[in-house]
């Protein structure tokens, strides 16, 4: 019997592009079914992450005319990563493989064919990897490269130029869902699962309509969350910074004593005040970094749910 595929598509205020997304992904899924590569009950699961526009109404309307499409509505906006986990948690109950892709389809949906072929050949995780970032600004390309190099330096395994467009087998998703942390960074968690992996390459497209939901602020937040969720390198950096400041202070004390013995009194309150401000600023930064880790511990120990489902139309289809 053919394996059942569910494509999980997180949505947040995507009314401008959803109609096109429905059509494009339905063509892909229908072709896979015709080619007998996936089960005829395979679905496109659209996860509404607390949208304020007509996203959910569009999903509901499409459900009525297309048996491939179904929706999952979260009670509020929980964020992109939690929306993905919500969709995967529901889909894994019925699916043999799951593909995640963003609703804007900037990731090339046509490589889904290649992903399924690699899964059928025995691969558990297939990463979608961008081999062309020409649609990104120069600033975004440069900062992305710096981010991947930084993560590699501090020992965090990431797939360069790969976001959340990937295929995972049932057993891979089951293992991923065993990671219970609330501070989600799926790009770092998925490589920890292990199993056999492969890649498919594609060129990133321009967004069809609307604006990207990943603003600079959200991207920086995701990057910082990735660093602090997977590494204590920032805390180690604080240690080295403290050691450096102490050594520098000892050198300055010795220098000042020598100057004093030689009769060269250095006058100037400005340098003293600046030094105090500098040390004070460094201390505040260090305390803030430590506080970030304590805050994450605080959020984890409360064990609040990562998402709450309001309406589940996916399970009703089986």
């Amino acid at each position: 019997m053919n394996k059942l595929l569910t494509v999980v598509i997180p949505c947040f205020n995507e009314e401008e592009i959803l109609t096109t997304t429905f059509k494009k992904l339905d063509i892909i899924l229908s072709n896979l079914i015709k080619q007998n590569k996936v089960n005829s009950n395979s679905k496109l699961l659209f996860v509404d992450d607390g949208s304020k526009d007509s996203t959910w109404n569009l999903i509901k309307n499409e459900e009525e005319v297309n048996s491939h499409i179904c929706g999952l509505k979260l009670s509020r906006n929980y964020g992109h990563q939690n929306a993905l986990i919500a969709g995967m948690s529901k889909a894994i109950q019925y699916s043999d493989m799951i593909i995640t892709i963003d609703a804007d389809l900037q990731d090339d949906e046509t490589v889904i064919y290649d992903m399924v072929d690699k899964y059928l050949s025995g691969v558990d995780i297939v990463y979608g990897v961008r081999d062309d970032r020409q649609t990104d600004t120069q600033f975004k390309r440069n900062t992305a490269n710096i981010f991947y190099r930084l993560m590699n330096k501090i020992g965090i395994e990431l797939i360069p130029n790969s976001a959340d467009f990937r295929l995972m087998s049932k057993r891979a998703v089951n293992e991923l869902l065993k990671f219970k942390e609330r501070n989600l960074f799926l790009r770092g968690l998925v490589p920890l699962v292990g199993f056999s992996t492969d890649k498919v390459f594609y060129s990133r497209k321009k967004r069809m309509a609307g604006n990207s939901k990943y603003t600079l602020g959200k991207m920086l937040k995701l990057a910082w969350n990735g660093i602090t969720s997977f590494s204590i390198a920032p805390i180690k950096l604080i240690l080295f910074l403290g050691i450096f400041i102490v050594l520098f202070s000892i050198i300055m004390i010795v220098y000042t004593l020598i100057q004093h013995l030689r009769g060269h009194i250095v006058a100037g309150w400005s340098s003293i005040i600046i030094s105090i401000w500098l040390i004070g600023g460094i201390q505040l930064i260090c305390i803030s970094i430590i506080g970030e880790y304590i805050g994450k511990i605080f959020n984890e120990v409360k064990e609040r749910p990562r998402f709450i489902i309001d309406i589940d139309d996916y399970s009703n289809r089986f």
Side-chain angles (χ1 to χ4, degrees), residues 115-134:
M115 287 183 168
V116 172
D117 286 339
K118 289 182 181 294
Y119 165 81
L120 294 175
S121 70
V123 178
D124 283 288
I125 303 175
V126 184
Y127 296 99
V129 179
R130 288 164 283 184
D131 58 4
D132 182 358
R133 302 187 67 122
Q134 294 305 312

Side-chain angles (χ1 to χ4, degrees), residues 275-290:
S275 298
I276 293 173
W277 285 352
L278 175 62
I279 298 300
I282 292 173
Q283 288 176 333
L284 288 175
I285 292 172
C286 294
I287 291 171
S288 297
I289 292 174
I290 295 172

Side-chain angles (χ1 to χ4, degrees), residues 126 169 217 224 265 277 291:
V126 184
S169 68
W224 179 244
I265 308 275
W277 285 352

Side-chain angles (χ1 to χ4, degrees), residues 251-262 264 266:
I251 293 172
M252 291 306 298
I253 290 171
V254 173
Y255 172 77
T256 303
L257 288 174
I258 293 173
Q259 291 295 92
H260 180 74
L261 292 174
R262 295 175 62 183
H264 299 155
V266 179

Side-chain angles (χ1 to χ4, degrees), residues 21 106 225:
T21 302
Q106 284 188 269
N225 190 44

Side-chain angles (χ1 to χ4, degrees), residues 186-202:
L186 291 175
R187 300 178 199 185
L189 283 178
V190 174
L192 295 179
V193 172
F195 298 136
S196 57
T197 65
D198 206 338
K199 302 174 185 176
V200 294
F201 296 90
Y202 65 94

Side-chain angles (χ1 to χ4, degrees), residues 64-92:
E64 296 177 359
V65 297
N66 191 333
S67 61
H68 294 157
I69 290 176
C70 48
L72 188 70
K73 188 177 190 302
L74 303 186
S75 61
R76 64 173 177 83
N77 178 244
Y78 286 90
H80 179 264
Q81 301 289 282
N82 284 313
L84 285 172
I85 284 291
M88 296 170 75
S89 298
K90 186 58 62 174
I92 199 59

